Amino acid sequence: MSLEQLDEYTRQNIQPNSPLVNEHLETLKEMVRIDSRSFGVNEFLGDRADPSDMREILDCAAAYLRRIGFDKIKINTPPAGPVRATPILLAEIIVSSEKPTLLFYAHLDKQPYMDDKKFKKWAGVAPTELRWNSDRSRAYGRGAADDLSGVLAVGMATDATLRAVGYNPKNPSPDKLQALPCNIKILYETEEECGSHSLVQQIRQNREFFSDVDGVVITDVINPATGYPGLTTSLRGIVQLEVSLESNPKKAKIDAQTALYKLLATLIHNDHSLAVDAIAEADTPLTKEERESFLHVPTSVNFLRDTAGLLSRTRLTVPAEKTALLEAQFRKSTANVRPGHRVAGSVILGSAGTRLSFPSCAKPRALQRQLWKFFGKLNPFNLAVTLRNLSEESKIPTFDLILKAATKDPHSGINGGPFPVAELQLARMINQLVQDNGSTSMEVQKVCGTPSEGSVVEARPLFVGAEEETRLFDNPSAKALVEIRLAPGNHEENAAKMLTDHLQRNVLPGCELTIKPDKGASPWITSITHPVFPIALEALGMGYNRTACLYGCGGSIPFVAKL
C-alpha cells in the first residue's frame, strides 16, 4: 500500500461523526470521567485529600492502546525518591529495524478543577462529565483538551493507519504490519502538570526503549486558531516558587501579608514588564524574519483578548497589535502570582482581592471615599475595582478591595505576557498605600491619623469567586506562588537562582522569608533547517486543507527541553 493510499483511507475515516471517530470519543468520555489531577486536590469540602496515583487513568489508557493494536505496553514503576513520582506508560508497534521509529508523546494528568463543589465555572456540570457545544465543534471537561485530545489524536491516527493496512488486533497478522512506513512508539506521562519530576529518571530506566527513536511528535500545544494548523518551534519554560513570609512585631513596622504584597510588587515595572532584570535580559530577541512571520499567524488582537476573557475595559500591557502580543506571549519572560493558600493550576486568576483593616481609624465612610480616590489613581490598565465597606460587621474600618481583569482564569503559559495580572496590580496598590515604615500615604493618613502603636493597616488575602463573592482563607499565614514563564535564552536552574536572589534582596527588614521550589522547566527553541520541517508542514497542510504556519507556545512542556 502506498503512502498516498494510506493517507486517503485515514482521511476518509477520520471525519466528524464517523464510526471510527465516535468510537474514540467514547474513550475520551471515559478518560474525562477519571480524576487524574496531578496536584492541587482538596479544593472544596468533600473533595479528595490526596492526588491521584494515576493507576486508573493508566489502566484506561493501556486498555485503549491494546484495543487499537499495541501488543507491547508497559506501565513503568518509577524510582524511589522523586516527590510525587507517578508512572509513565510505554507502548510500541515494531515493524522492522530497517524502518525509522517515531515516538509520540502526550500526558494523562490534569490541572485542578479550580472551582467549588457547585462548579459554577463549569456551568454547573461536574468537570468529570464530558459535554459539547451546540455544533459539537468543542468538548468541555477537565483534561479534554489538555491533554486527552493529544492522547486521542495519537490513538486515532494509529488506529486508522492499522485499519488501512488490514491489521486486526483481535486476529493479529504480523505480515500486515510490514505495510506501515515506520515503527510506532508512545510515551504517555502522568506528571506533566506538576513539572515532570521523575521523567528523566524513568526514561533512564528504559534506555533501550528510547535508543532507536528517530523523531518525536508531541501533541500538547495549541493551534493559532481552530482549524488553522501550526508547527511549534519554541516553548517558554517555567520557574515556580512557594514564597512564605513572617513578620517580627518587634522589628517590622507592618504585618506579614502587607510585607509580602510589597515584595511581590517588585516583580514588575510600571509597564508590567518583568523587573527581575537578569531573567528579562537573557530573553533571546526576535529576529527580523521571526517578527515578519508573526504577521502571517492567523489570529487577531480581539481573538486573543476573547480567549483570555479580558474585560472590554482592561488595557493590554503591550501595543494592541498582533506582533507585539505574540512576542509577549512566546518570547518574553513574564511574572504571575497566585495566593499561596488557593488551589489553582497554571493560570492567571482573573480577579484578586485583599481585606484591609484600619484599627486606628474612626471615620470609615470618609476613609472609603479617600481609598476609592487613591486606588483609582493607581490603575494603569483600567481593571475593574470594587471597594466594599465591611466596617459595620467588623466593628473597625474594614474593606474588601477587589480587582478584576478578566471573566476567566486564563492559562498563564498561553496568555501570560500581554495581559495584566490582577494579583500583581493589587500588590502594587498596597505597596503605594503602605510605606516601608508602616505609615500610609499622606492622603489616607489625613483620614486615618497615626496610631500610637501597631500597624496603621493590616491585610489578609481573599479567595474571590466567580461572582466576586469573597472569603478569607482558613490559614492566615502570608504565602504566595510566584511563577515566571521563561522565554528562550533562559535556563530553569539559573532563573530559579535569579528569582530567589531578587526576592531575598527586596524583602523588608524585620521579615523572614522562606522559599521552596515548586516546579520548573527550561524553555526550548529550534531552527527549521532540518529536512523534516517542510515534510511536517506539508503533512499539516494536507490534514487541515490549509497552509500551516510556524508557531510558538507560551506554555511549558518539561519533556521537550529534557530531550
Side-chain angles (χ1 to χ4, degrees):
M1 178 175 278
S2 69
L3 292 178
E4 289 74 16
Q5 289 173 312
L6 274 176
D7 176 66
E8 182 62 26
Y9 181 91
T10 53
R11 278 171 175 274
Q12 291 176 356
N13 285 273
I14 301 179
Q15 294 288 340
N17 296 318
S18 70
L20 184 145
V21 167
N22 287 336
E23 182 181 326
H24 284 263
L25 290 180
E26 284 300 309
T27 298
L28 177 64
K29 182 178 179 180
E30 176 64 12
M31 287 184 169
V32 167
R33 181 196 64 77
I34 297 170
D35 179 6
S36 58
R37 288 172 288 171
S38 62
F39 66 101
V41 294
N42 202 17
E43 298 185 60
F44 47 81
L45 188 64
D47 191 16
R48 68 188 302 162
D50 299 310
S52 168
D53 64 3
M54 302 296 166
R55 182 56 58 177
E56 185 177 7
I57 193 77
L58 284 163
D59 288 343
C60 180
Y64 171 60
L65 293 176
R66 198 170 290 112
R67 288 196 301 272
I68 291 170
F70 285 85
D71 58 344
K72 294 182 180 179
I73 301 172
K74 175 183 179 180
I75 296 176
N76 190 58
T77 300
V83 178
R84 293 183 287 196
T86 51
I88 58 173
L89 182 150
L90 304 173
E92 60 184 353
I93 295 175
I94 301 300
V95 180
S96 166
S97 60
E98 302 299 316
K99 293 187 175 183
T101 299
L102 277 182
L103 172 68
F104 293 88
Y105 167 94
H107 66 87
L108 299 165
D109 57 316
K110 305 170 185 175
Q111 293 261 342
Y113 301 145
M114 291 179 277
D115 209 343
D116 61 19
K117 60 183 176 183
K118 295 181 180 178
F119 299 123
K120 292 179 182 177
K121 292 183 179 180
W122 295 87
V125 180
T128 50
E129 182 178 332
L130 185 69
R131 56 192 176 91
W132 295 84
N133 63 356
S134 58
D135 64 0
R136 288 184 65 85
S137 62
R138 191 165 296 275
Y140 300 92
R142 178 49 82 218
D146 185 14
D147 182 34
L148 298 180
S149 63
V151 171
L152 259 70
V154 174
M156 199 180 299
T158 304
D159 192 4
T161 303
L162 290 174
R163 294 186 191 196
V165 301
Y167 185 78
N168 182 357
K170 294 181 180 179
N171 185 24
S173 172
D175 291 341
K176 298 283 188 183
L177 294 177
Q178 296 306 310
L180 292 178
C182 63
N183 305 306
I184 301 170
K185 294 193 174 187
I186 285 179
L187 163 60
Y188 287 159
E189 190 192 354
T190 59
E191 296 176 355
E192 197 275 344
E193 298 292 6
C194 60
S196 302
H197 301 285
S198 71
L199 181 59
V200 169
Q201 293 96 317
Q202 294 197 63
I203 289 175
R204 287 172 179 160
Q205 285 179 302
N206 297 274
R207 289 180 186 273
E208 186 176 348
F209 179 88
F210 295 96
S211 63
D212 60 349
V213 171
D214 296 291
V216 183
V217 178
I218 295 168
T219 53
D220 187 27
V221 287
I222 62 170
N223 284 326
T226 301
Y228 289 84
L231 184 63
T232 302
T233 58
S234 70
L235 293 168
R236 286 193 298 190
I238 185 173
V239 163
Q240 186 163 288
L241 305 178
E242 181 185 285
V243 178
S244 302
L245 190 146
E246 293 183 2
S247 175
N248 186 333
K250 295 181 180 180
K251 297 180 180 180
K253 301 292 185 181
I254 57 179
D255 66 281
Q257 183 62 45
T258 302
L260 180 58
Y261 280 134
K262 292 182 74 64
L263 177 61
L264 298 175
T266 69
L267 291 171
I268 57 173
H269 296 297
N270 291 338
D271 63 357
H272 212 293
S273 62
L274 183 65
V276 186
D277 295 334
I279 295 178
E281 291 168 2
D283 294 349
T284 301
L286 281 178
T287 64
K288 179 183 177 182
E289 292 75 18
E290 287 172 325
R291 194 174 296 279
E292 289 176 352
S293 72
F294 280 175
L295 294 172
H296 303 290
V297 174
T299 190
S300 67
V301 173
N302 286 338
F303 174 78
L304 293 168
R305 288 184 66 101
D306 289 345
T307 57
L310 284 191
L311 302 179
S312 59
R313 60 179 293 159
T314 302
R315 296 183 186 127
L316 301 175
T317 64
V318 298
E321 56 94 8
K322 184 165 61 175
T323 299
L325 262 73
L326 294 176
E327 180 181 16
Q329 284 180 297
F330 303 155
R331 301 295 292 277
K332 294 287 187 182
S333 297
T334 60
N336 180 35
V337 171
R338 296 182 293 276
H341 298 298
R342 177 164 182 172
V343 174
S346 300
V347 298
I348 302 168
L349 294 172
S351 299
T354 189
R355 183 161 294 173
L356 301 172
S357 300
F358 298 79
S360 64
C361 184
K363 304 173 183 177
R365 290 185 180 177
L367 177 57
Q368 184 178 20
R369 289 193 296 269
Q370 192 60 54
L371 287 173
W372 183 257
K373 293 179 184 177
F374 179 80
F375 293 133
K377 299 176 188 175
L378 302 173
N379 190 13
F381 301 103
N382 204 34
L383 276 59
V385 180
T386 301
L387 188 66
R388 292 183 187 147
N389 193 335
L390 308 179
S391 303
E392 290 186 10
E393 304 168 27
S394 306
K395 307 303 180 185
I396 60 171
T398 302
F399 307 91
D400 279 357
L401 173 61
I402 303 166
L403 271 59
K404 186 171 186 177
T407 57
K408 301 178 183 178
D409 298 326
H411 193 282
S412 61
I414 305 302
N415 299 106
F419 309 133
V421 177
E423 192 73 28
L424 282 168
Q425 291 303 308
L426 177 68
R428 287 178 67 81
M429 285 185 177
I430 302 305
N431 183 51
Q432 293 294 315
L433 174 67
V434 184
Q435 309 306 306
D436 291 358
N437 64 5
S439 64
T440 58
S441 66
M442 291 302 296
E443 308 100 289
V444 176
Q445 198 173 115
K446 290 177 183 178
V447 180
C448 280
T450 304
S452 57
E453 58 181 33
S455 301
V456 177
V457 56
E458 296 174 357
R460 288 279 303 276
L462 290 171
F463 181 104
V464 182
E467 298 176 358
E468 289 194 17
E469 68 277 18
T470 60
R471 61 176 172 83
L472 294 170
F473 295 102
D474 294 336
N475 189 328
S477 63
K479 185 166 76 169
L481 284 173
V482 176
E483 171 194 32
I484 306 291
R485 289 286 175 171
L486 301 172
N490 280 280
H491 186 275
E492 169 197 350
E493 293 180 2
N494 294 339
K497 184 179 184 304
M498 294 169 185
L499 176 57
T500 299
D501 290 345
H502 174 92
L503 293 169
Q504 290 173 337
R505 282 197 311 272
N506 287 281
V507 67
L508 290 177
C511 296
E512 183 177 340
L513 190 65
T514 301
I515 298 175
K516 296 180 181 178
D518 186 72
K519 64 179 177 180
S522 287
W524 167 85
I525 192 168
T526 184
S527 66
I528 57 171
T529 55
H530 194 281
V532 76
F533 281 92
I535 296 171
L537 287 168
E538 181 184 8
L540 284 168
M542 291 172 63
Y544 283 84
N545 200 28
R546 277 196 175 101
T547 301
C549 68
L550 295 172
Y551 199 51
C553 182
S556 311
I557 307 174
F559 172 63
V560 179
K562 297 177 191 295
L563 283 171

